[in-house]
Amino acid sequence: MREVPKQTVMAIKSYQNQAQLLVKNYLFADPFIPYTSILGGILACKVAYDLTQLISNFYSKTYPGLTKIQRVEWNNRGISTVHAIFISALSLYLVFWSNLFSDELAGLLVFRSSPLSTFGLGVSVGYFISDLAMILWLYPSLGGIEYVIHHSLSGIAVAYSMFTGEAQLYTYMVLISEVTTPEINIRWYLDTAGMKRSTAYLINGIVIFLAWLVARVLLFGYMFYHVYLHYTQVIKMHIFGYILVFGVPAALATMNLMWFGKIIKGVLKTLAKRQ
């Protein structure tokens, strides 16, 4: 095997070092994290869309027979699934396993943030921008007004928390609810594939019910209780952030309860058909 010249190796290492410095000093430097993470989130959405399309063309028997708009929604749900897995995993880590928002640390937890927490929120902002743009462009094929309201409120709240560093704990508590998105998408995929009467569809429906109950009903109640316990800190936030902490989760919780009622009816209807 021919040996790589020493000069070439040194040149490659030099370029690697320069690239690392670029990433460290600019792309992931604290002042630039919000902007690079948003752009990264938008780019990740494009990659997820294209990969979903590519993989589905090769491995799905259903995909080739779909209409154009159904293919767009199929690919779009690939984006939301990838984002949901990423942000729900990061949210669970930051809220329950890291010590970033621990009461044992000095300082007000409503003003705590880190490069990682800011980066994660930026990726979500990029996702909400991309998904909202698709929803509006193809309105109402990918979702009605409730999706526009949901994405708008979520995007504004996440962006504010990212840029100011305020209430990132509560933002991540709400983002844990994204854990239900993959199951919702699987339900749509199974329905589109003509598997509505399958056992997989039934099991997935039960998983949706349980996940929704925990992540979009009980967890929101816990969040409001946490806000109540730390109200002396919350009141010190800027007025806009203060309004967002109460207003956005309240609006989302109301929508979650409405959707939860539909989920319960759907599960009962499916179980009744199997008796």
Side-chain angles (χ1 to χ4, degrees), residues 101-252:
F101 303 113
S102 173
D103 285 319
E104 297 178 359
L105 297 180
L108 303 180
L109 62 81
V110 294
F111 296 115
R112 287 188 204 154
S113 64
S114 69
L116 176 61
S117 65
T118 301
F119 175 82
L121 295 181
V123 172
S124 269
V125 171
Y127 161 73
F128 284 121
I129 291 174
S130 302
D131 204 38
L132 182 59
M134 290 190 68
I135 290 173
L136 293 174
W137 183 261
L138 298 169
Y139 189 85
S141 298
L142 297 182
I145 189 63
E146 69 274 13
Y147 286 93
V148 175
I149 295 173
H150 176 274
H151 277 44
S152 298
L153 290 175
S154 299
I156 291 170
V158 173
Y160 178 85
S161 184
M162 174 193 64
F163 281 115
T164 65
E166 290 186 2
Q168 288 198 1
L169 168 61
Y170 300 126
T171 304
Y172 273 109
M173 280 188 180
V174 172
L175 285 172
I176 290 175
S177 64
E178 285 294 312
V179 75
T180 62
T181 299
E183 294 88 348
I184 295 295
N185 288 340
I186 290 173
R187 178 181 182 275
W188 184 88
Y189 286 134
L190 291 172
D191 189 10
T192 304
M195 300 176 63
K196 200 168 183 177
R197 295 184 177 277
S198 66
T199 302
Y201 189 88
L202 174 63
I203 294 174
N204 184 68
I206 295 173
V207 172
I208 290 175
F209 170 80
L210 295 174
W212 200 282
L213 175 63
V214 174
R216 290 185 180 262
V217 178
L218 298 180
L219 185 62
F220 271 70
Y222 171 75
M223 194 216 76
F224 286 121
Y225 179 65
H226 195 282
V227 170
Y228 168 76
L229 292 178
H230 297 81
Y231 185 73
T232 54
Q233 297 187 33
V234 174
I235 196 67
K236 295 179 181 179
M237 295 171 54
H238 292 91
I239 184 63
F240 188 66
Y242 177 86
I243 293 172
L244 288 178
V245 164
F246 287 96
V248 173
L252 295 179

